[in-house]
Amino acid sequence: FFMKHKKVLSIFLTILLVISTISINISYAETTPSIEMALDKTSASVGDIITATIKINNISNFAGYHLNIKYDPAVLQPVDPITGEAFTDRTMPVNSNLLTNENYGPANVVANNIKSGILNFGSMYSYLKDYKASGIDEDTGIIGEIGFKVLKEQNTSIKFEDTKTMPDGISGTNLFDWDSEMIAGYTVIQPNPIVVVPGPLPEDAYVAMELDKTEVE
């Protein structure tokens, strides 16, 4: 009986240790400062729109950003994910819930190069003293959303990418705090590659064999 009880106790302690380890890992993942680009799907067909959501997580005193995103313009076209309207060289991402408080003077800068497959944009509060004085930082949320319409049946990717115009960037990202200082020590989470698969045939599609004549000698 004692040996059986000891064995059960050992198993119970092992389970507790595993649960404890999992909890620590989850807690660490949730609190690690990061910027992430998440795709709503990584498998699509020509004509589909993939929505990329750019998020920041636990960036203390966050007050601004500058990002450079690279994609293949032969395969993907950036569009508004809701309306489908194509981006221009001056289009910002949509549906942000950060840096939008008019009391702090949000200001946007855009320098996209759609033909080259580059989205380069940023936003920052202008009235940083007022923002800091509030004592409430916008440390977690969505910077914006970008739709990417699939143009071609070819596997591809979207990613944050370094550029010469951002010499101090971290994988194509610069984040700033409410003292106008560049933030360091955060993780950049890139999206997974995109697999483009053949779409379904249209309902009126068919295969036919035609003969040049129906009577022969």
Side-chain angles (χ1 to χ4, degrees), residues 154-194:
Q154 177 180 313
N155 295 345
T156 189
S157 63
I158 308 164
K159 62 181 178 178
F160 297 115
E161 185 173 274
D162 287 330
T163 176
K164 292 180 180 179
T165 60
M166 298 168 61
D168 299 320
I170 303 174
S171 298
T173 73
N174 280 330
L175 304 183
F176 304 93
D177 65 19
W178 58 24
D179 292 312
S180 297
E181 297 293 333
M182 194 174 293
I183 297 171
Y186 60 87
T187 301
V188 178
I189 303 174
Q190 300 278 17
N192 291 325
I194 298 167

Coordinates of all heavy atoms in Angstrom, one line a residue, residues 154-194:
Q154 N 1.4 31.6 -56.7 CA 2.9 31.4 -56.4 C 3.0 31.6 -54.9 O 2.5 32.6 -54.3 CB 3.7 32.4 -57.2 CG 5.2 32.4 -56.9 CD 5.9 33.4 -57.7 OE1 5.8 33.6 -58.9 NE2 6.8 34.2 -57.0
N155 N 3.7 30.7 -54.2 CA 4.0 30.9 -52.8 C 4.8 32.1 -52.6 O 5.7 32.5 -53.4 CB 4.7 29.7 -52.3 CG 3.9 28.4 -52.3 OD1 2.7 28.5 -52.5 ND2 4.5 27.3 -52.2
T156 N 4.6 32.8 -51.4 CA 5.2 34.1 -51.2 C 5.3 34.4 -49.7 O 5.0 33.5 -48.9 CB 4.4 35.2 -51.9 OG1 5.1 36.4 -51.9 CG2 3.0 35.4 -51.3
S157 N 5.7 35.6 -49.4 CA 5.8 36.0 -47.9 C 5.6 37.5 -47.8 O 5.8 38.2 -48.8 CB 7.2 35.5 -47.4 OG 8.2 36.2 -48.0
I158 N 5.3 37.9 -46.6 CA 5.3 39.3 -46.2 C 6.1 39.4 -44.9 O 6.0 38.5 -44.0 CB 3.8 39.7 -45.9 CG1 2.8 39.4 -47.0 CG2 3.7 41.2 -45.6 CD1 1.4 39.4 -46.6
K159 N 6.9 40.4 -44.8 CA 7.8 40.5 -43.6 C 8.2 41.9 -43.3 O 8.3 42.7 -44.2 CB 9.0 39.6 -43.8 CG 9.9 39.9 -44.9 CD 11.1 38.9 -45.0 CE 12.0 39.2 -46.2 NZ 13.1 38.3 -46.2
F160 N 8.5 42.2 -42.1 CA 9.3 43.4 -41.7 C 10.7 43.2 -42.3 O 11.3 42.1 -42.1 CB 9.4 43.5 -40.2 CG 8.0 43.7 -39.5 CD1 7.6 42.8 -38.6 CD2 7.3 44.8 -39.7 CE1 6.3 42.9 -38.0 CE2 6.0 45.0 -39.1 CZ 5.6 44.1 -38.2
E161 N 11.2 44.3 -42.9 CA 12.6 44.1 -43.5 C 13.4 45.4 -43.3 O 12.8 46.5 -43.4 CB 12.4 43.8 -45.0 CG 13.8 43.6 -45.6 CD 13.6 43.1 -47.1 OE1 13.4 41.9 -47.3 OE2 13.6 43.9 -48.0
D162 N 14.6 45.3 -42.9 CA 15.5 46.4 -42.8 C 15.6 47.2 -44.1 O 15.5 46.6 -45.2 CB 16.9 46.0 -42.3 CG 16.9 45.5 -40.9 OD1 16.1 46.0 -40.1 OD2 17.7 44.6 -40.6
T163 N 15.9 48.5 -43.9 CA 16.1 49.4 -45.1 C 17.1 50.4 -44.7 O 17.3 50.7 -43.5 CB 14.8 50.0 -45.5 OG1 15.0 50.9 -46.6 CG2 14.1 50.8 -44.4
K164 N 17.8 51.0 -45.7 CA 18.8 52.0 -45.5 C 18.3 53.2 -44.8 O 19.0 54.0 -44.2 CB 19.5 52.3 -46.8 CG 20.3 51.2 -47.4 CD 21.0 51.6 -48.7 CE 21.8 50.5 -49.3 NZ 22.4 50.8 -50.6
T165 N 17.0 53.5 -45.1 CA 16.4 54.7 -44.5 C 16.1 54.5 -43.0 O 15.7 55.5 -42.3 CB 15.1 55.1 -45.2 OG1 14.2 54.0 -45.1 CG2 15.3 55.4 -46.7
M166 N 16.3 53.3 -42.5 CA 16.1 53.1 -41.1 C 17.4 52.4 -40.5 O 17.3 51.2 -40.2 CB 14.9 52.2 -40.8 CG 13.6 52.8 -41.3 SD 12.2 51.7 -41.3 CE 12.1 51.2 -39.6
P167 N 18.5 53.0 -40.5 CA 19.8 52.4 -40.1 C 19.8 51.8 -38.7 O 20.6 50.9 -38.5 CB 20.8 53.5 -40.2 CG 20.0 54.8 -40.1 CD 18.7 54.5 -40.7
D168 N 19.0 52.3 -37.8 CA 19.0 51.8 -36.4 C 17.8 50.8 -36.2 O 17.5 50.5 -35.0 CB 18.9 52.9 -35.4 CG 20.2 53.8 -35.5 OD1 21.3 53.3 -35.7 OD2 20.0 55.0 -35.5
G169 N 17.1 50.4 -37.2 CA 15.9 49.6 -37.1 C 16.2 48.2 -36.6 O 17.3 47.7 -36.8
I170 N 15.2 47.6 -36.0 CA 15.3 46.2 -35.6 C 14.4 45.4 -36.5 O 13.2 45.5 -36.4 CB 14.8 46.0 -34.1 CG1 15.7 46.9 -33.2 CG2 14.9 44.6 -33.7 CD1 15.2 46.9 -31.7
S171 N 15.0 44.7 -37.5 CA 14.2 44.0 -38.5 C 13.2 44.8 -39.1 O 12.0 44.4 -39.2 CB 13.6 42.7 -37.8 OG 14.6 41.9 -37.3
G172 N 13.5 46.0 -39.5 CA 12.6 46.9 -40.2 C 11.6 47.6 -39.3 O 10.5 48.1 -39.8
T173 N 11.9 47.7 -38.0 CA 11.0 48.4 -37.1 C 11.7 49.3 -36.2 O 12.8 49.1 -35.8 CB 10.2 47.4 -36.2 OG1 11.1 46.8 -35.2 CG2 9.6 46.2 -37.0
N174 N 11.1 50.5 -36.0 CA 11.6 51.4 -34.9 C 10.4 51.8 -34.0 O 9.3 52.1 -34.6 CB 12.1 52.7 -35.6 CG 13.5 52.6 -36.1 OD1 14.3 51.8 -35.6 ND2 13.8 53.4 -37.1
L175 N 10.5 51.6 -32.7 CA 9.5 52.0 -31.8 C 10.1 53.1 -30.9 O 11.2 53.1 -30.5 CB 9.1 50.8 -31.0 CG 8.6 49.6 -31.7 CD1 8.1 48.5 -30.7 CD2 7.5 49.9 -32.7
F176 N 9.2 54.1 -30.5 CA 9.6 55.2 -29.7 C 8.7 55.3 -28.5 O 7.5 55.0 -28.5 CB 9.5 56.5 -30.6 CG 10.3 56.4 -31.9 CD1 9.7 56.0 -33.0 CD2 11.6 56.8 -31.9 CE1 10.4 56.0 -34.2 CE2 12.3 56.7 -33.1 CZ 11.7 56.3 -34.2
D177 N 9.3 55.9 -27.4 CA 8.6 56.1 -26.2 C 8.2 57.5 -26.0 O 8.5 58.4 -26.9 CB 9.4 55.6 -25.0 CG 10.7 56.4 -24.7 OD1 10.8 57.5 -25.2 OD2 11.5 55.8 -24.0
W178 N 7.5 57.8 -24.9 CA 7.0 59.2 -24.7 C 8.0 60.2 -24.3 O 7.7 61.4 -24.1 CB 5.8 59.2 -23.7 CG 6.1 58.7 -22.3 CD1 7.3 58.6 -21.7 CD2 5.1 58.1 -21.5 NE1 7.1 58.0 -20.4 CE2 5.7 57.8 -20.3 CE3 3.7 58.0 -21.6 CZ2 5.0 57.2 -19.2 CZ3 3.0 57.4 -20.5 CH2 3.7 57.1 -19.3
D179 N 9.3 59.8 -24.3 CA 10.4 60.7 -24.1 C 11.2 60.9 -25.4 O 12.3 61.5 -25.5 CB 11.4 60.2 -23.1 CG 10.8 60.2 -21.7 OD1 10.3 61.3 -21.3 OD2 10.9 59.2 -21.0
S180 N 10.6 60.5 -26.5 CA 11.1 60.5 -27.9 C 12.4 59.7 -28.0 O 13.2 59.8 -29.0 CB 11.5 62.0 -28.3 OG 10.4 62.8 -28.3
E181 N 12.6 58.7 -27.1 CA 13.7 57.8 -27.2 C 13.3 56.5 -27.9 O 12.2 56.1 -27.9 CB 14.2 57.4 -25.8 CG 14.7 58.6 -25.0 CD 16.0 59.2 -25.5 OE1 16.7 58.5 -26.2 OE2 16.2 60.4 -25.3
M182 N 14.3 56.0 -28.7 CA 14.1 54.7 -29.4 C 14.0 53.6 -28.4 O 14.9 53.5 -27.5 CB 15.2 54.5 -30.4 CG 14.9 53.4 -31.4 SD 16.1 53.4 -32.7 CE 15.9 54.9 -33.6
I183 N 13.1 52.7 -28.5 CA 12.9 51.6 -27.6 C 13.7 50.4 -28.1 O 13.8 50.1 -29.3 CB 11.4 51.2 -27.5 CG1 10.6 52.4 -26.9 CG2 11.2 49.9 -26.7 CD1 9.1 52.1 -27.0
A184 N 14.3 49.7 -27.2 CA 15.1 48.5 -27.5 C 14.6 47.4 -26.7 O 13.8 47.5 -25.8 CB 16.6 48.8 -27.3
G185 N 15.1 46.2 -27.0 CA 14.8 45.0 -26.1 C 13.5 44.3 -26.4 O 13.0 43.6 -25.5
Y186 N 12.9 44.6 -27.5 CA 11.6 43.9 -27.9 C 11.9 42.9 -29.0 O 12.9 42.9 -29.7 CB 10.6 44.9 -28.3 CG 10.9 45.7 -29.5 CD1 10.6 45.3 -30.8 CD2 11.5 47.0 -29.4 CE1 10.9 46.0 -31.9 CE2 11.8 47.7 -30.5 CZ 11.5 47.3 -31.8 OH 11.8 48.0 -32.9
T187 N 10.9 42.0 -29.1 CA 11.0 40.9 -30.1 C 10.2 41.3 -31.3 O 9.1 41.8 -31.2 CB 10.5 39.6 -29.5 OG1 11.3 39.2 -28.4 CG2 10.6 38.5 -30.5
V188 N 10.7 41.0 -32.5 CA 9.9 41.1 -33.7 C 9.4 39.8 -34.2 O 10.2 38.9 -34.5 CB 10.8 41.8 -34.8 CG1 10.0 41.9 -36.2 CG2 11.3 43.1 -34.4
I189 N 8.1 39.6 -34.3 CA 7.5 38.3 -34.7 C 7.0 38.4 -36.1 O 6.1 39.2 -36.4 CB 6.3 38.0 -33.7 CG1 6.8 37.9 -32.3 CG2 5.7 36.6 -34.1 CD1 5.7 37.7 -31.2
Q190 N 7.7 37.7 -37.0 CA 7.3 37.7 -38.4 C 6.2 36.7 -38.7 O 6.0 35.7 -38.0 CB 8.6 37.3 -39.2 CG 9.8 38.2 -39.1 CD 9.7 39.5 -39.9 OE1 8.7 39.9 -40.4 NE2 10.9 40.1 -40.1
P191 N 5.4 37.0 -39.8 CA 4.3 36.1 -40.1 C 4.9 34.9 -40.8 O 6.0 34.9 -41.4 CB 3.5 36.9 -41.1 CG 4.4 37.9 -41.7 CD 5.4 38.3 -40.6
N192 N 4.1 33.8 -40.8 CA 4.5 32.6 -41.5 C 4.4 32.8 -43.1 O 3.7 33.6 -43.5 CB 3.6 31.4 -41.1 CG 3.9 31.0 -39.7 OD1 5.0 31.0 -39.2 ND2 2.8 30.6 -39.0
P193 N 5.2 32.0 -43.8 CA 5.1 32.0 -45.3 C 3.6 31.7 -45.8 O 2.9 31.1 -45.1 CB 6.0 31.0 -45.8 CG 7.0 30.7 -44.6 CD 6.2 31.0 -43.4
I194 N 3.3 32.2 -47.0 CA 2.0 32.1 -47.6 C 2.1 31.0 -48.7 O 2.9 31.1 -49.6 CB 1.5 33.4 -48.1 CG1 1.4 34.4 -47.0 CG2 0.2 33.2 -48.8 CD1 1.2 35.9 -47.5

